[in-house]
Amino acid sequence: STQSTWAVLRVWRNGKDRLYTGPQTVPDLTAFLARELRPPVRPLTTRTAFKRFLASKNEESVIAFAAKGSELRSFFEGFAEAHYSEYEFGVISHSQVAGRFQMETVLLVDTQGAQYSYKGPFDDLHFRNFLKSNTMPLVMEINRTNHNSILPNRLSVAWLFVDEQSPDTTAQLLEVYHSVAQRFKRELGFVYLKGNEYQFMAPQIGLTGLKIPALAVKDRRGGQYLFDESRPMYSALI
C-alpha cells in the first residue's frame, strides 16, 4: 500500500494560532506563510510605493491616510493587527504622498481595482461592515461550510431560497437578484440557498419554510422583512 504524508502547518502570532487548511501545494502554503508573517501594516512612504500598492490585485487593500499619533492611526493599526490575514493594510503619513486623497480617511481597493472611501466612525463594527459589504461576493450561495462566515459579520442580509428542481425559474430569479444586489450592495448582503436542502433554516428568518422560492431580509438589529408567501414570486416583483 502507498501512504501519503500531508503537511500540517500552524502559525502562532500574538498568542493566537492559525491552522492552514488550504490546498497542499507549495504555492498555496507559501502564500499562507507570506500573509501570516508579514507586518500588519505596510508604511507607504513614497508615491511610487503607493502606486505599486494600489496596483496589487492579489487581495483587497486597505489604506489609511493618517498622521502618526492620530485617532485614525491608532484605530487602524489595532484593526490591522486583528485582521492582517484578511486584507493587505497600508498607511500613508504625509499629504505629499497621499496626493489627491484627503488625510484622516480610509480607502478600500478591491481585486478589480474599484475604490471605496470610508466615511463612518472609527469603530470595529462599522468599519468591518464597510469592508465586508464591499468585498464579499455580490451574491453568495450559502452552504454548510460557509454559513458561519456570513452570519457573524452583522450585515443586514437578504436571503433567497431557490428551488433547485426548477432550474429555469431559479436562473431567472438569480439574474434579477444579481441586478438588485448591484443596486443595493452598500446596504445589504445578498445570499441564496437551495431551498429543498436548507428549508429548515427558513423559520429562523421568519418564513414558514412551506413554500419555495421564498425571500426575506433580516437586518442587523434582528428585524425581519418578508416577501408575501401567498403571492407567486415572479422575477419582476423582487
Side-chain angles (χ1 to χ4, degrees):
S1 62
T2 301
Q3 182 176 0
S4 297
T5 301
W6 296 92
V8 177
L9 180 60
R10 188 184 297 270
V11 175
W12 279 263
R13 179 167 174 165
N14 295 335
K16 298 180 180 179
D17 69 291
R18 194 184 303 272
L19 176 67
Y20 177 72
T21 58
Q24 296 280 329
T25 67
V26 171
D28 288 297
L29 289 165
T30 302
F32 170 76
L33 279 175
R35 286 193 302 272
E36 291 299 320
L37 300 179
R38 69 189 177 191
V41 180
R42 184 191 304 179
L44 305 174
T45 57
T46 67
R47 288 196 177 186
T48 299
F50 181 26
K51 290 179 180 179
R52 288 176 179 171
F53 194 81
L54 287 177
S56 174
K57 299 295 190 298
N58 295 326
E59 59 186 317
E60 288 84 10
S61 301
V62 188
I63 305 149
F65 305 91
K68 293 181 179 180
S70 67
E71 177 188 0
L72 172 56
R73 182 68 168 259
S74 177
F75 163 76
F76 188 77
E77 290 177 345
F79 187 92
E81 183 61 54
H83 303 283
Y84 63 87
S85 65
E86 301 172 48
Y87 308 93
E88 188 172 17
F89 293 92
V91 64
I92 290 175
S93 303
H94 303 288
S95 58
Q96 294 91 333
V97 179
R100 64 183 178 87
F101 296 99
Q102 186 176 352
M103 294 298 291
E104 301 308 309
T105 60
V106 177
L107 180 71
L108 167 67
V109 184
D110 68 18
T111 55
Q112 304 302 313
Q115 299 181 359
Y116 307 90
S117 296
Y118 179 66
K119 300 177 181 178
F122 301 142
D123 64 65
D124 191 274
L125 172 61
H126 289 89
F127 191 58
R128 184 157 179 78
N129 280 345
F130 161 76
L131 295 178
K132 281 289 185 182
S133 64
N134 287 299
T135 57
M136 67 185 294
L138 192 61
V139 175
M140 177 180 289
E141 181 179 2
I142 295 297
N143 54 50
R144 297 185 187 276
T145 62
N146 69 4
H147 72 279
N148 284 328
S149 67
I150 297 298
L151 298 180
N153 65 34
R154 302 183 186 178
L155 287 173
S156 299
V157 177
W159 299 76
L160 175 65
F161 292 79
V162 300
D163 184 359
E164 64 268 35
Q165 297 178 4
S166 301
D168 291 342
T169 300
T170 295
Q172 293 174 2
L173 285 174
L174 288 177
E175 182 177 355
V176 174
Y177 198 54
H178 273 82
S179 66
V180 173
Q182 183 65 50
R183 182 177 176 184
F184 295 104
K185 65 181 181 180
R186 297 293 184 92
E187 289 80 24
L188 289 170
F190 289 81
V191 302
Y192 73 96
L193 310 85
K194 294 177 180 177
N196 303 89
E197 184 176 354
Y198 295 99
Q199 202 165 7
F200 68 92
M201 292 184 63
Q204 301 175 28
I205 312 167
L207 296 165
T208 65
L210 301 177
K211 183 180 178 182
I212 301 171
L215 174 64
V217 173
K218 186 172 183 178
D219 71 23
R220 59 189 173 209
R221 302 177 186 85
Q224 298 171 339
Y225 308 89
L226 314 178
F227 186 97
D228 187 348
E229 291 182 86
S230 68
R231 302 179 65 187
M233 185 177 290
Y234 298 113
S235 298
L237 296 179
I238 291 183

